[in-house]
Amino acid sequence: MKKILFIPIIFLLTTGGISTAHAQSNSNFAIQPKFESVSIYDGEFTFSEGYAWVYDKDNSNRNFAGVIDAAGDWVIEPSFNMNFYSSGNFQFSEGLSRAKLNNEWVYIDYAGNIMFTTPYSKVGDFHEGLAAVQKGGKWGFINKTGKEVIKPQYDKISPSQSRDVSTPGKFSEGLAAVEKNGLWGYVNKKGEMIIPPKYGFASDFNDGRAIVFVKVGDSVSHYLVIDKQGKVISKHKEISDYKDGFAYFNDNNKFGIMDTSGKVIYQSSEQYSYLFGNREGVFLYNSFGHGDGVVDKQGKVLIKPQYEEIKPFSEGLSYVRVKKNNENYSGFIDKTGKEIIKLNSFDTYYGSFHNGLVSVRTKDGYGFIKNPLDVPSAWAKDEVNQAISLQLVPKAQQIEYSNSINRSDFSRLIVQLLEVKTGKSIDELLNSQGKSIDNNIFYDTKDRKILGAYALGLVSGTADGEYNPSGNITREEAAVILSRTAKFLGIDSESSNITYSDQKMIASWAQGAVKLVSVIKDSSNSAQLMGSTGDNKFSPKISYTRQQAFISMKRLFNAK
């Protein structure tokens, strides 16, 4: 249920506006426009977990969908006869994507391997380890082995207010909104009803809060904010989903902003405008007769109303459209209103940036533009560029430098390092060690590079039969994998007396590895393979970032 609240906005003075200084032309395609169409999920995103579903323009394949990576290369050739419009849109979630093959719903991994086939008429994406499925008109849930863990019994499973209504709902923060006999409540992962069905509609939990509404007859009486015990936190005429700890509300065409306690942070005395699109700490708003603009959570205007259209910020940028001389011009701005991708009249943008890319439609088809803000941090830039020049970082991974790296990408980097440093393919390395791949060792991936790294003893699963390819990797986990890789390459060092101020936080199984990666050094600059994050802390539990991982590959490549 996509909902825009018609909410008032106070008109404040601001100096925000359009600036074209240093704007980037959008003729710079990261992936050239060559696709017939793209799958846009949640109403605005195309890439997810580094992959996107697209239709080829080639006449022989145009009725079939396939998957490309962030370099624009086919990782799954067009072979799935799916309709993005009638079947909802498609994305990878938790390492798997639903797909339709020979009129059956299947789940595939990043490499296109079919993990299992289902008997269901409709299926959803995996969230928190479970996916919604429909049989006989009723909905239930399966796990990543395809096992039915909650029997189909619900009339509907709620998508969030902000999600694509064609896509089934999901578990969020341990609960799922379900409908039985016309009323909505919440179940846990055991199928136990935690909050009884009594609402006219219920959305996902975010920040420990969910939005429900109460109906009187066929009309909505009011919205409520509830906690996970069903306790009412706040009541308003209309309320948005919570994001980043805040939601907006409408009471008789007067808008406000509140936190998770229900405390009103800001409320306007003006009427007849509305608030929408809260994300990344800012809210979008419309002032009738003036256009769309941006405010912060205190209601302070950051960018004055001036756009015909504006979309929620994602990865620091927002799509905007203006009209000049009866022509539409569109591009992307930052939170100061500066044009980062110059407004023009010849390209049509679809959605928002995700994984550092956004889809663009031109006369030649759909392509993708890279986010100009997605660059390595200043401290990391030189070494990241060196890693790329050494061919240690595949083009498809050269995105989201400051974000956490997942287990799949880290494993692929390890294999890339081995292949570049030894000059041997993963298959040759396996043969030289007398090892072979077991395709059935994990139920959530059959990716040969991951399985090869596992067979060489470099990586391990997270649970019995699970690899968790989309899961983030912590610094201590990275240290263990890097130390194993170093030893495989014959790079070792004498035991070290290096200790960190948070040494006791390092797991016992990672202590030796942390000491080893702390003394192995890059011969080109004497930098530690891994070291302190500051104040002599190793920070073992925090996620390893992509740029940190790229630098580690370069340092291990140069280690003696």
Side-chain angles (χ1 to χ4, degrees), residues 429-452:
L429 290 168
L430 287 165
N431 288 335
S432 70
Q433 300 293 313
K435 305 289 185 180
S436 60
I437 285 176
D438 181 352
N439 286 312
N440 298 313
I441 193 69
F442 298 118
Y443 61 72
D444 54 356
T445 185
K446 292 183 179 179
D447 186 291
R448 280 189 63 77
K449 292 198 173 182
I450 292 175
L451 299 182

PDB file of all heavy atoms in Angstrom, residues 429-452:
ATOM      1  N   LEU A 429      44.496 -24.738  -8.890  1.00  0.00           N
ATOM      2  CA  LEU A 429      44.910 -24.722  -7.482  1.00  0.00           C
ATOM      3  C   LEU A 429      44.322 -25.911  -6.736  1.00  0.00           C
ATOM      4  O   LEU A 429      45.008 -26.543  -5.916  1.00  0.00           O
ATOM      5  CB  LEU A 429      44.497 -23.405  -6.825  1.00  0.00           C
ATOM      6  CG  LEU A 429      45.277 -22.164  -7.284  1.00  0.00           C
ATOM      7  CD1 LEU A 429      44.589 -20.894  -6.796  1.00  0.00           C
ATOM      8  CD2 LEU A 429      46.713 -22.219  -6.766  1.00  0.00           C
ATOM      9  N   LEU A 430      43.063 -26.213  -7.013  1.00  0.00           N
ATOM     10  CA  LEU A 430      42.424 -27.368  -6.369  1.00  0.00           C
ATOM     11  C   LEU A 430      43.133 -28.658  -6.758  1.00  0.00           C
ATOM     12  O   LEU A 430      43.414 -29.517  -5.904  1.00  0.00           O
ATOM     13  CB  LEU A 430      40.943 -27.425  -6.759  1.00  0.00           C
ATOM     14  CG  LEU A 430      40.032 -26.372  -6.116  1.00  0.00           C
ATOM     15  CD1 LEU A 430      38.694 -26.307  -6.842  1.00  0.00           C
ATOM     16  CD2 LEU A 430      39.812 -26.678  -4.639  1.00  0.00           C
ATOM     17  N   ASN A 431      43.438 -28.799  -8.046  1.00  0.00           N
ATOM     18  CA  ASN A 431      44.116 -30.011  -8.511  1.00  0.00           C
ATOM     19  C   ASN A 431      45.493 -30.159  -7.868  1.00  0.00           C
ATOM     20  O   ASN A 431      45.909 -31.270  -7.499  1.00  0.00           O
ATOM     21  CB  ASN A 431      44.256 -29.988 -10.033  1.00  0.00           C
ATOM     22  CG  ASN A 431      42.924 -30.211 -10.739  1.00  0.00           C
ATOM     23  OD1 ASN A 431      42.015 -30.809 -10.171  1.00  0.00           O
ATOM     24  ND2 ASN A 431      42.802 -29.734 -11.970  1.00  0.00           N
ATOM     25  N   SER A 432      46.192 -29.012  -7.724  1.00  0.00           N
ATOM     26  CA  SER A 432      47.541 -29.073  -7.144  1.00  0.00           C
ATOM     27  C   SER A 432      47.511 -29.504  -5.683  1.00  0.00           C
ATOM     28  O   SER A 432      48.500 -30.017  -5.157  1.00  0.00           O
ATOM     29  CB  SER A 432      48.224 -27.706  -7.269  1.00  0.00           C
ATOM     30  OG  SER A 432      47.626 -26.751  -6.398  1.00  0.00           O
ATOM     31  N   GLN A 433      46.378 -29.298  -5.022  1.00  0.00           N
ATOM     32  CA  GLN A 433      46.246 -29.674  -3.610  1.00  0.00           C
ATOM     33  C   GLN A 433      45.498 -30.993  -3.422  1.00  0.00           C
ATOM     34  O   GLN A 433      45.259 -31.421  -2.294  1.00  0.00           O
ATOM     35  CB  GLN A 433      45.494 -28.568  -2.852  1.00  0.00           C
ATOM     36  CG  GLN A 433      46.183 -27.210  -2.886  1.00  0.00           C
ATOM     37  CD  GLN A 433      47.489 -27.208  -2.133  1.00  0.00           C
ATOM     38  OE1 GLN A 433      47.552 -27.700  -1.004  1.00  0.00           O
ATOM     39  NE2 GLN A 433      48.543 -26.676  -2.744  1.00  0.00           N
ATOM     40  N   GLY A 434      45.104 -31.590  -4.552  1.00  0.00           N
ATOM     41  CA  GLY A 434      44.348 -32.835  -4.470  1.00  0.00           C
ATOM     42  C   GLY A 434      42.956 -32.638  -3.891  1.00  0.00           C
ATOM     43  O   GLY A 434      42.399 -33.552  -3.263  1.00  0.00           O
ATOM     44  N   LYS A 435      42.392 -31.464  -4.117  1.00  0.00           N
ATOM     45  CA  LYS A 435      41.063 -31.141  -3.576  1.00  0.00           C
ATOM     46  C   LYS A 435      40.025 -31.101  -4.696  1.00  0.00           C
ATOM     47  O   LYS A 435      40.362 -30.892  -5.868  1.00  0.00           O
ATOM     48  CB  LYS A 435      41.085 -29.783  -2.873  1.00  0.00           C
ATOM     49  CG  LYS A 435      42.132 -29.644  -1.774  1.00  0.00           C
ATOM     50  CD  LYS A 435      41.775 -30.462  -0.553  1.00  0.00           C
ATOM     51  CE  LYS A 435      42.763 -30.206   0.581  1.00  0.00           C
ATOM     52  NZ  LYS A 435      42.428 -31.002   1.786  1.00  0.00           N
ATOM     53  N   SER A 436      38.771 -31.273  -4.322  1.00  0.00           N
ATOM     54  CA  SER A 436      37.680 -31.170  -5.287  1.00  0.00           C
ATOM     55  C   SER A 436      36.504 -30.448  -4.649  1.00  0.00           C
ATOM     56  O   SER A 436      36.405 -30.356  -3.424  1.00  0.00           O
ATOM     57  CB  SER A 436      37.236 -32.560  -5.765  1.00  0.00           C
ATOM     58  OG  SER A 436      36.785 -33.339  -4.664  1.00  0.00           O
ATOM     59  N   ILE A 437      35.632 -29.957  -5.493  1.00  0.00           N
ATOM     60  CA  ILE A 437      34.472 -29.177  -5.031  1.00  0.00           C
ATOM     61  C   ILE A 437      33.300 -30.091  -4.736  1.00  0.00           C
ATOM     62  O   ILE A 437      32.985 -31.002  -5.519  1.00  0.00           O
ATOM     63  CB  ILE A 437      34.088 -28.123  -6.090  1.00  0.00           C
ATOM     64  CG1 ILE A 437      35.088 -26.956  -6.061  1.00  0.00           C
ATOM     65  CG2 ILE A 437      32.669 -27.623  -5.880  1.00  0.00           C
ATOM     66  CD1 ILE A 437      34.843 -25.913  -7.132  1.00  0.00           C
ATOM     67  N   ASP A 438      32.650 -29.850  -3.619  1.00  0.00           N
ATOM     68  CA  ASP A 438      31.403 -30.525  -3.264  1.00  0.00           C
ATOM     69  C   ASP A 438      30.271 -29.539  -3.515  1.00  0.00           C
ATOM     70  O   ASP A 438      30.114 -28.570  -2.778  1.00  0.00           O
ATOM     71  CB  ASP A 438      31.429 -30.960  -1.794  1.00  0.00           C
ATOM     72  CG  ASP A 438      30.156 -31.686  -1.372  1.00  0.00           C
ATOM     73  OD1 ASP A 438      29.192 -31.721  -2.172  1.00  0.00           O
ATOM     74  OD2 ASP A 438      30.120 -32.197  -0.244  1.00  0.00           O
ATOM     75  N   ASN A 439      29.505 -29.764  -4.558  1.00  0.00           N
ATOM     76  CA  ASN A 439      28.448 -28.827  -4.938  1.00  0.00           C
ATOM     77  C   ASN A 439      27.293 -28.780  -3.954  1.00  0.00           C
ATOM     78  O   ASN A 439      26.463 -27.866  -4.013  1.00  0.00           O
ATOM     79  CB  ASN A 439      27.898 -29.172  -6.332  1.00  0.00           C
ATOM     80  CG  ASN A 439      28.864 -28.783  -7.436  1.00  0.00           C
ATOM     81  OD1 ASN A 439      29.384 -27.671  -7.447  1.00  0.00           O
ATOM     82  ND2 ASN A 439      29.100 -29.700  -8.363  1.00  0.00           N
ATOM     83  N   ASN A 440      27.222 -29.729  -3.072  1.00  0.00           N
ATOM     84  CA  ASN A 440      26.075 -29.808  -2.164  1.00  0.00           C
ATOM     85  C   ASN A 440      26.436 -29.477  -0.721  1.00  0.00           C
ATOM     86  O   ASN A 440      25.659 -29.749   0.190  1.00  0.00           O
ATOM     87  CB  ASN A 440      25.454 -31.212  -2.235  1.00  0.00           C
ATOM     88  CG  ASN A 440      24.928 -31.525  -3.622  1.00  0.00           C
ATOM     89  OD1 ASN A 440      24.235 -30.706  -4.223  1.00  0.00           O
ATOM     90  ND2 ASN A 440      25.266 -32.700  -4.140  1.00  0.00           N
ATOM     91  N   ILE A 441      27.615 -28.879  -0.502  1.00  0.00           N
ATOM     92  CA  ILE A 441      28.045 -28.616   0.869  1.00  0.00           C
ATOM     93  C   ILE A 441      27.201 -27.536   1.536  1.00  0.00           C
ATOM     94  O   ILE A 441      26.973 -27.548   2.738  1.00  0.00           O
ATOM     95  CB  ILE A 441      29.555 -28.234   0.903  1.00  0.00           C
ATOM     96  CG1 ILE A 441      30.082 -28.275   2.333  1.00  0.00           C
ATOM     97  CG2 ILE A 441      29.789 -26.887   0.248  1.00  0.00           C
ATOM     98  CD1 ILE A 441      30.163 -29.642   2.929  1.00  0.00           C
ATOM     99  N   PHE A 442      26.696 -26.563   0.718  1.00  0.00           N
ATOM    100  CA  PHE A 442      25.858 -25.488   1.261  1.00  0.00           C
ATOM    101  C   PHE A 442      24.496 -25.478   0.575  1.00  0.00           C
ATOM    102  O   PHE A 442      24.402 -25.751  -0.630  1.00  0.00           O
ATOM    103  CB  PHE A 442      26.533 -24.132   1.052  1.00  0.00           C
ATOM    104  CG  PHE A 442      27.861 -23.993   1.748  1.00  0.00           C
ATOM    105  CD1 PHE A 442      29.020 -23.777   1.016  1.00  0.00           C
ATOM    106  CD2 PHE A 442      27.957 -24.090   3.129  1.00  0.00           C
ATOM    107  CE1 PHE A 442      30.249 -23.655   1.646  1.00  0.00           C
ATOM    108  CE2 PHE A 442      29.180 -23.974   3.772  1.00  0.00           C
ATOM    109  CZ  PHE A 442      30.334 -23.763   3.030  1.00  0.00           C
ATOM    110  N   TYR A 443      23.472 -25.164   1.320  1.00  0.00           N
ATOM    111  CA  TYR A 443      22.141 -25.108   0.719  1.00  0.00           C
ATOM    112  C   TYR A 443      21.806 -23.733   0.140  1.00  0.00           C
ATOM    113  O   TYR A 443      20.780 -23.584  -0.532  1.00  0.00           O
ATOM    114  CB  TYR A 443      21.059 -25.541   1.715  1.00  0.00           C
ATOM    115  CG  TYR A 443      20.933 -24.699   2.973  1.00  0.00           C
ATOM    116  CD1 TYR A 443      20.388 -23.416   2.938  1.00  0.00           C
ATOM    117  CD2 TYR A 443      21.335 -25.205   4.205  1.00  0.00           C
ATOM    118  CE1 TYR A 443      20.255 -22.659   4.094  1.00  0.00           C
ATOM    119  CE2 TYR A 443      21.214 -24.457   5.365  1.00  0.00           C
ATOM    120  CZ  TYR A 443      20.666 -23.186   5.298  1.00  0.00           C
ATOM    121  OH  TYR A 443      20.543 -22.427   6.446  1.00  0.00           O
ATOM    122  N   ASP A 444      22.668 -22.718   0.380  1.00  0.00           N
ATOM    123  CA  ASP A 444      22.336 -21.376  -0.097  1.00  0.00           C
ATOM    124  C   ASP A 444      23.297 -20.839  -1.161  1.00  0.00           C
ATOM    125  O   ASP A 444      23.191 -19.694  -1.563  1.00  0.00           O
ATOM    126  CB  ASP A 444      22.246 -20.393   1.078  1.00  0.00           C
ATOM    127  CG  ASP A 444      23.482 -20.369   1.949  1.00  0.00           C
ATOM    128  OD1 ASP A 444      24.400 -21.169   1.702  1.00  0.00           O
ATOM    129  OD2 ASP A 444      23.516 -19.556   2.889  1.00  0.00           O
ATOM    130  N   THR A 445      24.236 -21.660  -1.638  1.00  0.00           N
ATOM    131  CA  THR A 445      25.075 -21.254  -2.761  1.00  0.00           C
ATOM    132  C   THR A 445      25.749 -22.471  -3.381  1.00  0.00           C
ATOM    133  O   THR A 445      26.074 -23.440  -2.686  1.00  0.00           O
ATOM    134  CB  THR A 445      26.156 -20.238  -2.345  1.00  0.00           C
ATOM    135  OG1 THR A 445      26.875 -19.800  -3.513  1.00  0.00           O
ATOM    136  CG2 THR A 445      27.137 -20.848  -1.365  1.00  0.00           C
ATOM    137  N   LYS A 446      25.921 -22.372  -4.704  1.00  0.00           N
ATOM    138  CA  LYS A 446      26.714 -23.363  -5.438  1.00  0.00           C
ATOM    139  C   LYS A 446      27.773 -22.646  -6.266  1.00  0.00           C
ATOM    140  O   LYS A 446      28.287 -23.199  -7.241  1.00  0.00           O
ATOM    141  CB  LYS A 446      25.809 -24.217  -6.328  1.00  0.00           C
ATOM    142  CG  LYS A 446      24.872 -25.136  -5.558  1.00  0.00           C
ATOM    143  CD  LYS A 446      24.044 -26.005  -6.486  1.00  0.00           C
ATOM    144  CE  LYS A 446      23.122 -26.935  -5.683  1.00  0.00           C
ATOM    145  NZ  LYS A 446      22.285 -27.780  -6.570  1.00  0.00           N
ATOM    146  N   ASP A 447      28.076 -21.418  -5.883  1.00  0.00           N
ATOM    147  CA  ASP A 447      29.073 -20.618  -6.586  1.00  0.00           C
ATOM    148  C   ASP A 447      30.430 -21.330  -6.530  1.00  0.00           C
ATOM    149  O   ASP A 447      30.945 -21.643  -5.460  1.00  0.00           O
ATOM    150  CB  ASP A 447      29.172 -19.239  -5.931  1.00  0.00           C
ATOM    151  CG  ASP A 447      30.078 -18.300  -6.695  1.00  0.00           C
ATOM    152  OD1 ASP A 447      31.298 -18.543  -6.698  1.00  0.00           O
ATOM    153  OD2 ASP A 447      29.564 -17.330  -7.277  1.00  0.00           O
ATOM    154  N   ARG A 448      31.032 -21.574  -7.703  1.00  0.00           N
ATOM    155  CA  ARG A 448      32.257 -22.367  -7.762  1.00  0.00           C
ATOM    156  C   ARG A 448      33.426 -21.700  -7.041  1.00  0.00           C
ATOM    157  O   ARG A 448      34.281 -22.389  -6.464  1.00  0.00           O
ATOM    158  CB  ARG A 448      32.648 -22.647  -9.218  1.00  0.00           C
ATOM    159  CG  ARG A 448      31.857 -23.803  -9.835  1.00  0.00           C
ATOM    160  CD  ARG A 448      32.425 -24.177 -11.185  1.00  0.00           C
ATOM    161  NE  ARG A 448      33.791 -24.665 -11.126  1.00  0.00           N
ATOM    162  CZ  ARG A 448      34.155 -25.890 -10.736  1.00  0.00           C
ATOM    163  NH1 ARG A 448      33.230 -26.761 -10.372  1.00  0.00           N
ATOM    164  NH2 ARG A 448      35.423 -26.242 -10.725  1.00  0.00           N
ATOM    165  N   LYS A 449      33.488 -20.380  -7.066  1.00  0.00           N
ATOM    166  CA  LYS A 449      34.615 -19.714  -6.403  1.00  0.00           C
ATOM    167  C   LYS A 449      34.493 -19.824  -4.886  1.00  0.00           C
ATOM    168  O   LYS A 449      35.484 -20.041  -4.188  1.00  0.00           O
ATOM    169  CB  LYS A 449      34.703 -18.261  -6.851  1.00  0.00           C
ATOM    170  CG  LYS A 449      35.101 -18.144  -8.315  1.00  0.00           C
ATOM    171  CD  LYS A 449      35.609 -16.773  -8.676  1.00  0.00           C
ATOM    172  CE  LYS A 449      36.155 -16.770 -10.091  1.00  0.00           C
ATOM    173  NZ  LYS A 449      36.716 -15.475 -10.502  1.00  0.00           N
ATOM    174  N   ILE A 450      33.270 -19.700  -4.381  1.00  0.00           N
ATOM    175  CA  ILE A 450      33.056 -19.877  -2.943  1.00  0.00           C
ATOM    176  C   ILE A 450      33.365 -21.320  -2.543  1.00  0.00           C
ATOM    177  O   ILE A 450      34.070 -21.581  -1.564  1.00  0.00           O
ATOM    178  CB  ILE A 450      31.616 -19.496  -2.557  1.00  0.00           C
ATOM    179  CG1 ILE A 450      31.392 -17.994  -2.729  1.00  0.00           C
ATOM    180  CG2 ILE A 450      31.316 -19.919  -1.113  1.00  0.00           C
ATOM    181  CD1 ILE A 450      29.972 -17.546  -2.495  1.00  0.00           C
ATOM    182  N   LEU A 451      32.832 -22.261  -3.335  1.00  0.00           N
ATOM    183  CA  LEU A 451      33.052 -23.672  -3.020  1.00  0.00           C
ATOM    184  C   LEU A 451      34.528 -24.046  -3.155  1.00  0.00           C
ATOM    185  O   LEU A 451      35.051 -24.873  -2.400  1.00  0.00           O
ATOM    186  CB  LEU A 451      32.194 -24.553  -3.930  1.00  0.00           C
ATOM    187  CG  LEU A 451      30.676 -24.361  -3.818  1.00  0.00           C
ATOM    188  CD1 LEU A 451      29.951 -25.337  -4.733  1.00  0.00           C
ATOM    189  CD2 LEU A 451      30.200 -24.520  -2.388  1.00  0.00           C
ATOM    190  N   GLY A 452      35.215 -23.399  -4.110  1.00  0.00           N
ATOM    191  CA  GLY A 452      36.640 -23.647  -4.269  1.00  0.00           C
ATOM    192  C   GLY A 452      37.436 -23.137  -3.084  1.00  0.00           C
ATOM    193  O   GLY A 452      38.340 -23.829  -2.584  1.00  0.00           O
TER     194      GLY A 452
END
